[in-house]
Amino acid sequence: MNAMLRPLMMAIFMFPFSIAWGQEVTKEQLGHVSFEQNLKERVPLNATFRDESGKPVRLGAFFGARPVVLVPAYYRCPNLCTVVINAMLESVRNLRQNAGRDFEIVIVSIDPQEDAALAQAKKQTYVTRYGRPGSQQGWHFLTGDKSSIEQLCRAVGYHYVYDPVSKQYAHPSGVVILTPEGVISRYFLGIEYPPKEFNQALVAASQNKTGTLAERLLLLCFHYDPNTGRYTLIIRRALQIGGIGTIAAVVGMIFALGRKRSNADARPPNAPSALTALPFLPEPASNFAGSVDEIFWTMTLACGAVALALFVTITFFCIRYRAGSLAKRPPAKRSGVLLEVIWSSLTLIAFTAIFIWAALVYFRMSSPPANAAEIYVVGKQWMWKIQHPNGRSEINELHLLVDQPVKLIMTSQDVIHDFYVPAFHTKQDVLPDRYTTEWFIPRRPGKYHLFCAEYCGGDHSQMGGWVYVQQPAEHARWMEGLAGGESLAQAGARLFVARGCSGCHSPQSTVRSPLLTGIYRHPVALSDGTTVIADEQYLHDSILLPNKQITAGYEPKMPTFQGQISEEEIMQLIAYIKTLSQEQGGTR
């Protein structure tokens, strides 16, 4: 989760309580809401609760063989509890261990009014989302009476307060890891639990190793005081230290990059702009670098000039008209609207000009040339998989020919990613179940960083690689390394037969289905009376969602290949369909 969004999320989660808290819940009571870390303490294994079926069950029934993930929450919670359980779910879904086989998950409601029906509904939801066969026995959603709940919460240090006005609980957020003997091994506080650390905690707990005392995390709910609307002194101090550290890091980075650039070779004649010679900017290695830099620095200088003018004006008036000065202070004169009209018109013209300028650059970046080499990219946690037209594939590397226009056709296999090469000054979101494109012309031979610029999970920072821009001879040698493998279209032709597509979509087929020859980039009439262009997205959806857009005059008989074919194979099929010429047949 982006660090800049965390304070905002805390404010959102606590907003309902700040409205409801009035005179019923005092500031002193809210001060006791916390998650006290009682490491090495044992939970009350004899405490009695009710399971999802309403049967009484001892807490100790879930201990003895495996470590336990304990989550205090309540099932009607409108905000934070769902976020905590969802975060825990995302962590355990990224583990090799399975709930029920390697560890137990026990979620205990802190509301004595909640019943087994609510617990059963929650269990069904999360077991389904967990999606691992046989894991149902490892998920336990419990309810209980007030005494058992309080006994368990005291043991784990979970302090909360009930607000009768809003009929909600003010409570902290977090997860507790316990050993098979019921000893508290580790706490995860807040709303984010990295899978790697979660895995280490479960391994340590399974060996009865007790973790060290963790520092209180900034995301603990009630470090933020809703009565004053301010952070506590601890948070302010942490933010101050973080700000100083950030400034020091930026200064150090500028210094290091400046030394690196001073030792680099002289910039070639085709450098896009003199502005890009600043030491802390990435090298301008594409045809868009100069245009992007010019817009950026124009905006920066304009905003800086306005800010400087305001600062100078404010400083002048503060000194000239300070208390006790002899400056004359005549009554303000009311002037006409001419000055306001001139100022507003000039501002409108300036910003409209910048908008048009930026729009022209954007339109150019969105219109790849016809001779651009098409390269297919699949983003997945946490790697980039790249396929060249000749069948050469790469992982976290991209080899390009200098001065050759390149069009990247990209999709994601799981979550949202973002393909970003700073030296090219271009970036593009990569979305699941959707194709996006990005094009550029690499201008400078060299090795450049490749990043994912969209937070995509626990190992997001490791999702990167390198782009190699090569001279023609060097690139030709690299391409020859395919060693006789099949091209992307050839692989698609093989799949077209292996997957049974040729049995329906060929002139010799006895099944009445649309032919695919000459379909790419041509209009297709649909059964609902509309028309679409058969681009990559249409072909992709036709394979995975065949009933989404039915071709006019045909029955929806095609089965879905969702879950049976990978994104790489879909790209191979699309590459093959593109090669089908109109001479091979017509549309039936």
Side-chain angles (χ1 to χ4, degrees):
M1 182 181 297
N2 193 307
M4 297 179 64
L5 296 179
R6 291 175 179 172
L8 176 60
M9 291 193 66
M10 290 195 299
I12 293 173
F13 292 140
M14 294 187 293
F15 178 75
F17 296 120
S18 65
I19 296 297
W21 294 334
Q23 299 177 353
E24 298 293 335
V25 178
T26 65
K27 180 178 179 180
E28 181 180 359
Q29 288 175 309
L30 291 179
H32 294 296
V33 175
S34 63
F35 215 149
E36 183 181 356
Q37 299 186 44
N38 298 334
L39 293 173
K40 299 185 181 181
E41 293 293 325
R42 190 182 299 270
V43 296
L45 300 180
N46 291 324
T48 302
F49 292 88
R50 295 183 299 275
D51 63 14
E52 307 87 1
S53 63
K55 296 179 181 179
V57 60
R58 289 177 55 254
L59 184 63
F62 310 110
F63 292 83
R66 292 173 286 274
V68 173
V69 178
L70 177 66
V71 184
Y74 71 104
Y75 307 136
R76 291 193 183 96
C77 179
N79 294 309
L80 196 53
C81 294
T82 300
V83 175
V84 170
I85 300 175
N86 287 345
M88 181 272 296
L89 171 66
E90 288 304 313
S91 292
V92 299
R93 285 173 63 180
N94 284 283
L95 302 180
R96 292 184 179 179
Q97 300 98 317
N98 288 322
R101 186 190 69 187
D102 304 299
F103 59 90
E104 304 286 337
I105 298 175
V106 178
I107 301 171
V108 180
S109 171
I110 62 175
D111 186 353
Q113 302 300 319
E114 294 186 331
D115 55 20
L118 275 174
Q120 179 62 39
K122 283 286 184 179
K123 177 174 181 176
Q124 183 64 36
T125 297
Y126 282 97
V127 168
T128 301
R129 291 179 60 186
Y130 186 53
R132 297 192 185 182
S135 64
Q136 185 173 2
Q137 301 303 319
W139 288 79
H140 313 281
F141 287 75
L142 307 183
T143 56
D145 56 35
K146 185 176 181 181
S147 61
S148 296
I149 294 172
E150 291 181 346
Q151 186 181 5
L152 174 60
C153 290
R154 279 196 303 270
V156 299
Y158 189 84
H159 303 295
Y160 58 92
V161 62
Y162 179 70
D163 176 25
V165 174
S166 65
K167 297 181 180 180
Q168 297 177 17
Y169 288 85
H171 61 86
S173 60
V175 173
V176 186
I177 307 296
L178 301 106
T179 68
E181 286 72 32
V183 177
I184 299 173
S185 176
R186 179 161 179 182
Y187 288 80
F188 286 90
L189 305 183
I191 56 174
E192 185 177 8
Y193 320 123
K196 283 188 176 180
E197 296 182 20
F198 214 87
N199 174 67
Q200 293 170 355
L202 288 173
V203 172
S206 66
Q207 298 172 351
N208 294 324
K209 295 180 181 179
T210 304
T212 60
L213 179 64
E215 298 178 357
R216 295 186 177 273
L217 303 179
L218 297 181
L219 286 180
L220 186 61
C221 286
F222 294 95
H223 277 180
Y224 181 87
D225 187 351
N227 287 320
T228 63
R230 297 181 178 181
Y231 291 105
T232 64
L233 178 62
I234 296 175
I235 296 298
R236 287 200 300 269
R237 187 174 300 164
L239 293 176
Q240 291 168 357
I241 295 173
I244 294 173
T246 300
I247 294 173
V250 171
V251 172
M253 181 183 67
I254 293 174
F255 176 76
L257 291 176
R259 294 191 60 184
K260 177 180 177 182
R261 183 64 62 85
S262 64
N263 297 328
D265 295 337
R267 189 167 301 278
N270 63 351
S273 171
L275 292 173
T276 57
L278 293 175
F280 50 83
L281 293 180
E283 297 183 38
S286 80
N287 58 316
F288 295 122
S291 300
V292 173
D293 281 345
E294 288 166 0
I295 294 175
F296 172 79
W297 284 111
T298 299
M299 293 288 294
T300 301
L301 293 176
C303 294
V306 173
L308 179 62
L310 290 174
F311 177 79
V312 170
T313 303
I314 291 172
T315 303
F316 171 78
F317 280 100
C318 285
I319 295 174
R320 179 172 177 81
Y321 296 104
R322 69 189 182 278
S325 70
L326 301 178
K328 296 182 179 180
R329 297 172 174 82
K333 296 182 180 179
R334 185 175 182 83
S335 59
V337 297
L338 180 61
L339 179 62
E340 297 178 12
V341 171
I342 294 175
W343 171 253
S344 299
S345 299
L346 292 177
T347 304
L348 176 62
I349 293 172
F351 278 95
T352 301
I354 293 176
F355 170 79
I356 295 174
W357 181 16
L360 292 175
V361 174
Y362 171 77
F363 292 144
R364 188 159 59 93
M365 297 175 72
S366 303
S367 305
N371 65 336
E374 294 186 349
I375 298 176
Y376 291 86
V377 179
V378 176
K380 59 184 297 186
Q381 294 174 318
W382 286 272
M383 68 176 68
W384 297 106
K385 301 186 70 174
I386 296 166
Q387 291 185 309
H388 292 263
N390 70 341
R392 188 74 187 261
S393 61
E394 307 181 75
I395 295 179
N396 294 334
E397 289 186 352
L398 175 59
H399 288 74
L400 302 174
L401 175 62
V402 66
D403 291 330
Q404 167 65 51
V406 175
K407 176 184 176 182
L408 304 180
I409 302 173
M410 303 180 290
T411 189
S412 169
Q413 191 166 308
D414 37 49
V415 299
I416 298 176
H417 301 284
D418 192 294
F419 193 93
Y420 176 41
V421 182
F424 294 168
H425 290 42
T426 61
K427 61 192 296 290
Q428 177 62 54
D429 282 350
V430 181
L431 310 175
D433 298 323
R434 181 176 171 184
Y435 283 111
T436 55
T437 61
E438 176 181 358
W439 87 276
F440 47 80
I441 303 176
R443 293 297 192 191
R444 294 189 51 167
K447 178 181 177 181
Y448 305 102
H449 276 290
L450 164 64
F451 296 104
C452 175
E454 186 78 28
Y455 180 76
C456 55
D459 286 342
H460 160 71
S461 61
Q462 300 181 24
M463 186 172 177
W466 296 95
V467 176
Y468 298 88
V469 180
Q470 302 171 313
Q471 295 286 5
E474 181 184 8
H475 189 67
R477 287 193 300 270
W478 180 85
M479 293 294 283
E480 290 173 358
L482 183 60
E486 59 184 359
S487 69
L488 204 62
Q490 290 171 341
R494 175 175 49 79
L495 281 172
F496 193 77
V497 176
R499 293 288 182 174
C501 306
S502 60
C504 297
H505 299 282
S506 67
Q508 296 78 25
S509 172
T510 58
V511 180
R512 188 173 183 274
S513 299
L515 295 181
L516 303 180
T517 52
I519 191 174
Y520 181 66
R521 287 296 181 188
H522 283 76
V524 176
L526 302 180
S527 59
D528 60 2
T530 61
T531 301
V532 297
I533 299 298
D535 55 7
E536 288 91 351
Q537 187 65 52
Y538 171 79
L539 298 175
H540 176 279
D541 291 347
S542 296
I543 296 171
L544 298 186
L545 304 170
N547 292 329
K548 180 180 178 181
Q549 295 173 312
I550 306 299
T551 305
Y554 294 91
E555 296 294 328
K557 296 180 179 180
M558 178 174 170
T560 178
F561 284 86
Q562 198 163 28
Q564 305 176 40
I565 188 171
S566 67
E567 288 293 343
E568 292 93 328
E569 291 176 320
I570 294 175
M571 287 182 168
Q572 292 168 359
L573 285 170
I574 293 176
Y576 168 65
I577 294 173
K578 287 181 179 181
T579 65
L580 298 178
S581 65
Q582 187 66 39
E583 287 75 19
Q584 290 176 302
T587 301
R588 284 190 291 167

